[in-house]
Amino acid sequence: DALFHGDFFFFPLCIMSVLYLRIIKNLRENAEGLRHANYGNAGPAHSLNVAKKNTLRMLVIVVVIFALTTSADQTIWLLYTYDVELVALDSVLTRALVVLEFSNVCINPFVYFFTSKTFRFYFLKTMSFRRFKRNIVSVT
């Protein structure tokens, strides 16, 4: 039924969007607070603005990837629910779209790795990649 599709696509997409918008709002308010606390655009205010920009970019990428990897398969299933069969459910295309949808979980760590210095630092530190240890610069 159609509610099933909302549960697995629209509901998570809405929850992600609302929560990520709250994170962005919180970062914006904190940056404004620092700016008004006589820091101007230097020091902590500048660092928070850079963090806000990087976080916004990462969150947008995560939401877009989620939407791209899940929308095609969910659309096919939603149409199938209403007896509109664009593609056979046992076709190679449908199976590929299911794999693409599940791959979203595997893609996110790569997004975090390439968009967050902090995540990259602690990932490499945790995994103890000796080759990278000498190139790791502390993020603190």
Side-chain angles (χ1 to χ4, degrees):
D1 67 347
L3 183 60
F4 175 79
H5 300 291
D7 288 348
F8 288 101
F9 178 68
F10 295 112
F11 186 68
L13 187 62
C14 289
I15 294 294
M16 285 172 57
S17 298
V18 167
L19 293 176
Y20 290 165
L21 286 172
R22 288 187 67 193
I23 290 170
I24 293 165
K25 180 183 176 225
N26 191 357
L27 285 171
R28 181 175 291 142
E29 289 172 355
N30 288 339
E32 288 296 320
L34 286 173
R35 208 172 297 129
H36 293 298
N38 297 327
Y39 287 111
N41 286 327
H46 176 70
S47 297
L48 193 56
N49 277 328
V50 170
K52 179 179 72 172
K53 178 183 166 190
N54 292 339
T55 301
L56 175 62
R57 182 173 50 112
M58 180 178 64
L59 297 179
V60 167
I61 291 170
V62 168
V63 171
V64 167
I65 288 174
F66 175 80
L68 290 175
T69 58
T70 58
S71 61
D73 180 57
Q74 290 300 313
T75 301
I76 287 174
W77 281 100
L78 183 62
L79 292 173
Y80 181 78
T81 301
Y82 292 107
D83 295 325
V84 179
E85 191 172 336
L86 297 176
V87 180
L89 293 181
D90 62 347
S91 71
V92 172
L93 176 61
T94 304
R95 291 176 188 200
L97 291 174
V98 170
V99 169
L100 179 65
E101 184 172 11
F102 287 125
S103 72
N104 176 266
V105 180
C106 303
I107 294 170
N108 285 340
F110 291 102
V111 172
Y112 303 146
F113 185 86
F114 289 110
T115 60
S116 170
K117 288 180 183 176
T118 306
F119 182 88
R120 187 169 40 249
F121 171 79
Y122 285 107
F123 174 80
L124 294 173
K125 185 176 178 182
T126 301
M127 299 307 288
S128 297
F129 288 124
R130 293 195 175 130
R131 184 177 130 207
F132 294 107
K133 273 190 174 181
R134 63 180 164 220
N135 294 329
I136 296 176
V137 177
S138 176
V139 294
T140 56

